[in-house]
Amino acid sequence: MSDVQTETLYSVPKAHCFIGGPSCGKTSALVARAKELASSGQPGGILYVCASKAAVDGVRQQIFDFDIEVKTGLELAREVLVDEELVARGVRNRLLGQAEERALMEDVKVCGIKRHRLRELAAFLECGWSKLDDNDPFWVKTNEEELVSGLIRGNLEFTGGVLACEASALAVRQVAADEGLRARHARAHILVDDFECLGRATQMLTCMLAGASLCVAASDVAPVALDEPYPYAQGVQELLSSNSSARVEHLNVCRKPAGIVKALNA
């Protein structure tokens, strides 16, 4: 993906970023911002995006009496993919469960590549799909990569399945090509927690669907894989680079004892 395309997809009308280490109050600040928007009667909808289902449950408990939607990034991608017009056009939308993904990889073993090497190739391809690297027609270079990619793609096209790693990438491409689709799924304000723990395409999708503002919370330490297997740490910098007027607040005061923080990040 070119720098111009990246800048366009990460560009939002108004950006606000809370950045800090573990237990520095990023989620609390983001929840407070969501409540502030809801209390002011902002039209157009408010969506709070979490990096895991467990986080969704926690946030819902904090904002249960406010008119705020809470979803994971993958749930947002699926919302787009099951749009009636996309379904009518036959766009793939059935997210595979873990068991189905394992079954798919068993089918791919017929290619004869050794198991360890096959896992490496599959991880390389899945990571690339989650970042939209396949926008580059020369991204897949070796015969092995082409073979495994073709087998996986062929299986998915035949079954109508979607890998978790590619769901947001599919949604991004559909939204980028259809302004009506974007309008149907946009919210005026989108807030994203653990931004760095989302895949690159999911990060882009939240930016594309933010009609008036995007507010994110991100850690300044290396991300961990939660519901999405390929978190994209560079997305925070790409967001800020694409929005020169973004407001950035650094939260540096840890609210938990150092021993607890160390255990949580072990």
Side-chain angles (χ1 to χ4, degrees):
M1 179 172 290
S2 70
D3 291 340
V4 173
Q5 289 173 309
T6 297
E7 184 172 327
T8 299
L9 296 183
Y10 272 102
S11 179
V12 296
K14 183 179 180 181
H16 187 171
C17 209
F18 296 107
I19 299 177
S23 302
C24 285
K26 300 183 298 297
T27 296
S28 296
L30 201 64
V31 168
R33 176 58 180 157
K35 291 180 177 179
E36 179 185 346
L37 288 168
S39 298
S40 65
Q42 294 282 340
I46 301 170
L47 174 64
Y48 193 113
V49 177
C50 299
S52 70
K53 290 181 180 179
V56 165
D57 294 337
V59 170
R60 281 180 177 157
Q61 291 177 8
Q62 298 181 63
I63 52 92
F64 67 91
D65 52 350
F66 290 86
D67 187 15
I68 302 170
E69 291 180 84
V70 187
K71 294 187 175 188
T72 66
L74 289 178
E75 288 171 340
L76 179 60
R78 174 154 172 75
E79 173 197 313
V80 172
L81 293 176
V82 298
D83 181 273
E84 289 184 0
E85 290 192 11
L86 296 190
V87 172
R89 297 207 304 261
V91 175
R92 291 184 290 127
N93 60 37
R94 187 177 64 81
L95 280 175
L96 300 185
Q98 292 183 351
E100 288 180 295
E101 289 199 14
R102 287 194 294 269
L104 184 155
M105 292 310 301
E106 286 296 322
D107 291 341
V108 173
K109 288 179 182 178
V110 300
C111 67
I113 297 174
K114 291 184 178 180
R115 180 170 298 188
H116 176 72
R117 176 57 178 159
L118 185 58
R119 284 198 297 266
E120 290 180 340
L121 289 167
F124 166 75
L125 293 168
E126 290 177 357
C127 182
W129 290 331
S130 77
K131 297 188 297 181
L132 290 97
D133 285 347
D134 51 333
N135 276 4
D136 178 357
F138 302 105
W139 165 62
V140 172
K141 296 180 172 63
T142 70
N143 290 336
E144 283 186 327
E145 291 168 359
E146 289 183 2
L147 173 61
V148 175
S149 176
L151 288 170
I152 294 175
R153 286 297 195 200
N155 182 294
L156 294 172
E157 292 294 341
F158 179 74
T159 63
V162 177
L163 296 172
C165 64
E166 64 164 350
S168 291
L170 288 175
V172 164
R173 290 192 173 98
Q174 296 297 329
V175 169
D178 186 341
E179 187 58 39
L181 180 66
R182 183 201 295 256
R184 289 194 296 278
H185 297 278
R187 275 69 158 189
H189 305 282
I190 294 183
L191 303 99
V192 187
D193 207 353
D194 295 317
F195 190 75
E196 80 288 356
C197 293
L198 299 178
R200 191 185 193 205
T202 305
Q203 294 173 355
M204 290 179 173
L205 185 62
T206 62
C207 294
M208 296 170 76
L209 296 179
S213 74
L214 178 80
C215 185
V216 309
S219 178
D220 54 10
V221 299
V224 296
L226 297 174
D227 281 12
E228 299 194 40
Y230 302 102
Y232 189 66
Q234 300 95 311
V236 178
Q237 186 54 52
E238 291 186 12
L239 173 66
L240 297 178
S241 297
S242 300
N243 298 276
S244 58
S245 61
R247 178 184 175 187
V248 180
E249 293 187 50
H250 292 276
L251 307 177
N252 301 314
V253 179
C254 181
R255 301 186 178 189
K256 292 183 179 179
I260 294 178
V261 173
K262 184 177 181 180
L264 289 172
N265 291 298

